[in-house]
Amino acid sequence: MKLNDLKAYVLGLMLIPFLGGNISRADDSLSALMQRMKSDTAVRIAYQETRRLELLEQPWQGSGYMYSLPPDIMIKEQLKPERLLMGIQGDKMFYFEPVNDVRHQGEIEEDNPLSLNIAVFKALINADEATLQKMYRIEFSSDKQGWVMTLKPKRDSESGFSIVISGLPQQQANTIKVRQADGDLSEFSLRKDAEGEEIKSRVNQLYRELLGE
């Protein structure tokens, strides 16, 4: 798996929980947002992704779906420019490239910066604000125009790495921007597409495909 694919894949999957809930009022708080992230329903998110990388003359663009199945399965199905499957189940990562029949499987390691931190991943899934506050410097604001949350690492706050998540008033997140320490930028445009038992069945089908079953 390419380095930038790995970065975007883990980040995109980690942030799916921000997409499922609704923001109930314009003067929302971080704690209220975190609590509404919790869900017992399978969710499908349509996404468009743009990566602006120093090594590329033109932005890279992709699109597809992100899936979340509580408590711990998340899958990203890239459909364009080519189909790729990437997933997380618990502390395991999966990657499948159908066109070349390439598969990878590994662990999300807490001390591996490429796969971020499993503690943060679990905090996002479980709406564990205390753990997030411990690892990130969090800035949250909301007004009649919408809400914005910015995450910056506490350990290396001057590294240039940041995650900015935003949405319209009374709606879920519709934009995520991830800036790496090297200046590379990934932007996700998001739209909640569907949820329920049919999506749950689709997630299980994709998970079996990731496992090669």
Side-chain angles (χ1 to χ4, degrees):
M1 188 189 308
K2 296 177 182 178
L3 175 59
N4 287 312
D5 286 342
L6 179 60
K7 290 179 181 178
Y9 142 51
V10 177
L11 286 166
L13 290 171
M14 278 177 52
L15 295 166
I16 292 176
F18 285 102
L19 315 179
N22 289 318
I23 308 305
S24 64
R25 60 188 189 279
D27 62 341
D28 207 352
S29 68
L30 174 60
S31 296
L33 172 61
M34 293 293 292
Q35 287 305 309
R36 278 190 296 277
M37 283 166 51
K38 292 184 177 181
S39 173
D40 57 2
T41 303
V43 176
R44 182 173 69 193
I45 305 296
Y47 79 89
Q48 292 185 326
E49 178 184 358
T50 300
R51 301 180 200 166
R52 293 177 171 83
L53 311 178
E54 183 178 352
L55 298 179
L56 296 182
E57 293 184 359
Q58 299 294 328
W60 179 95
Q61 294 186 322
S63 62
Y65 294 104
M66 296 182 186
Y67 298 83
S68 174
L69 178 59
D72 63 355
I73 294 180
M74 294 185 181
I75 293 175
K76 180 179 177 183
E77 183 183 22
Q78 176 184 293
L79 299 177
K80 295 180 180 180
E82 68 277 328
R83 186 169 184 264
L84 297 175
L85 279 182
M86 314 163 211
I88 294 175
Q89 191 277 318
D91 60 354
K92 297 184 182 299
M93 296 191 303
F94 304 90
Y95 176 93
F96 177 42
E97 188 178 322
V99 67
N100 295 315
D101 194 27
V102 173
R103 295 181 186 275
H104 296 288
Q105 180 175 337
E107 301 282 332
I108 299 179
E109 301 171 3
E110 293 191 18
D111 58 352
N112 185 342
L114 290 181
S115 58
L116 301 181
N117 194 301
I118 188 59
V120 176
F121 167 69
K122 290 180 177 178
L124 292 171
I125 294 179
N126 298 320
D128 183 355
E129 183 182 348
T131 297
L132 269 186
Q133 294 277 13
K134 180 180 178 180
M135 304 192 68
Y136 283 103
R137 180 164 57 85
I138 303 175
E139 300 173 1
F140 182 89
S141 63
S142 66
D143 56 29
K144 63 181 181 180
Q145 302 299 321
W147 58 271
V148 179
M149 178 164 61
T150 302
L151 307 179
K152 295 183 179 180
K154 283 188 174 180
R155 282 188 177 181
D156 191 6
S157 59
E158 303 301 321
S159 67
F161 176 85
S162 66
I163 301 172
V164 179
I165 309 160
S166 59
L168 296 174
Q170 302 182 19
Q171 295 186 27
Q172 60 266 30
N174 59 19
T175 303
I176 297 171
K177 298 181 180 180
V178 181
R179 186 175 297 277
Q180 303 290 342
D182 59 10
D184 289 350
L185 177 67
S186 297
E187 299 182 51
F188 295 86
S189 177
L190 310 160
R191 175 178 55 84
K192 187 174 180 180
D193 181 71
E195 62 183 351
E197 289 300 313
E198 183 177 346
I199 301 304
K200 179 179 179 180
S201 297
R202 178 60 175 163
V203 174
N204 287 326
Q205 177 185 6
L206 292 171
Y207 184 63
R208 289 194 296 271
E209 187 178 358
L210 273 170
L211 295 179
E213 296 180 355

